[in-house]
Amino acid sequence: MTSAGYVFKDFPHSSHRWLVERVGRPPSRVLDVGTWNGFLGRQLASQGHELFGIEKDPIQAQHAAAFYRELLVADLETLPPLPGAPFDVILCGDVLEHLREPLVVLKHLVSSLRPEGKLLITVPNVAFVGCRVSLLFGVFEYRDRGILDRTHLRFFTKASLLRLLREAGLKVQRVHGLPPPLPLVFPPSARWPLRGFFECLALAAQLWPTLWAYQLAVEARRPS
């Protein structure tokens, strides 16, 4: 579900760090939706979680398979019964924006979640200030990566994402705003001088996610 060369973003305030931290203490039975080459699976397997995965690309699934107890090569839009269900945690990291019918997929995933389990989701925020400024000047251009990745089929704001989760039968526990991944843009030599600026962006994303969050991170559960 990601572009070629996608790797674990191992720096503060990254979506990958947030997902791994929110999974919680092992051992948990975790479903990683859209494993790509296993960049999340590697981290979670090293912590002792029992992992299951779904990946559409058979080549990337081969790279990821070593980190998962079972890995299903399948299209998320036409999912069969999931091996390993029910799950304690289901991860949808940068997945929903690639789907034609995210509500249908979410309902299927929710049915495979334990009553006390949780769903962890990250999506790009199309209402991010950078997108707003571009639209102000009449610019809406697809790109190779980022919020306007040319492979994205759906675009989410905080309000539309929360509405989707409610329609899927989920109760939102927390919403966390994540800043732009500046450490991916600037070389290591430039990261230390930019650290203060990056921390300010991270704080702004948490306090005002509708405007300053580059990505939205949500933890949701089935209603008790």
Side-chain angles (χ1 to χ4, degrees), residues 12-148:
H13 311 298
S14 77
S15 59
H16 297 164
R17 280 264 194 100
W18 184 87
L19 287 168
V20 170
E21 290 169 359
R22 292 310 308 165
V23 168
R25 295 184 173 222
S28 293
R29 179 168 287 216
V30 180
L31 175 65
D32 183 8
V33 180
T35 66
W36 196 240
N37 59 15
F39 57 89
L40 282 178
R42 180 192 296 271
Q43 302 295 320
L44 293 169
S46 68
Q47 295 179 5
H49 296 287
E50 184 181 16
L51 298 181
F52 298 80
I54 307 169
E55 174 54 47
K56 182 178 180 180
D57 188 313
I59 296 177
Q60 296 302 326
Q62 287 181 356
H63 295 309
F67 308 117
Y68 299 84
R69 178 174 172 180
E70 291 188 53
L71 200 158
L72 180 65
V73 180
D75 186 339
L76 289 177
E77 306 272 7
T78 56
L79 273 180
L82 299 174
F87 302 100
D88 300 305
V89 184
I90 296 178
L91 304 179
C92 287
D94 299 331
V95 167
L96 299 183
E97 64 271 22
H98 295 270
L99 302 176
R100 295 185 300 274
E101 298 292 342
L103 178 58
V104 173
V105 174
L106 273 175
K107 285 183 175 180
H108 186 68
L109 293 174
V110 169
S111 68
S112 299
L113 194 63
R114 285 181 173 163
E116 68 280 7
K118 58 187 176 183
L119 188 68
L120 301 176
I121 296 169
T122 61
V123 298
N125 174 29
V126 76
F128 174 62
V129 61
C131 293
R132 296 191 190 206
V133 172
S134 294
L135 285 172
L136 182 64
F137 290 96
V139 178
F140 187 93
E141 297 290 341
Y142 287 100
R143 298 179 173 87
D144 292 331
R145 298 192 67 167
I147 296 173
L148 299 182

Side-chain angles (χ1 to χ4, degrees), residues 207-221:
L207 296 177
W208 195 354
T210 53
L211 180 65
W212 291 103
Y214 187 83
Q215 287 176 284
L216 300 167
V218 177
E219 178 179 331
R221 295 179 183 267

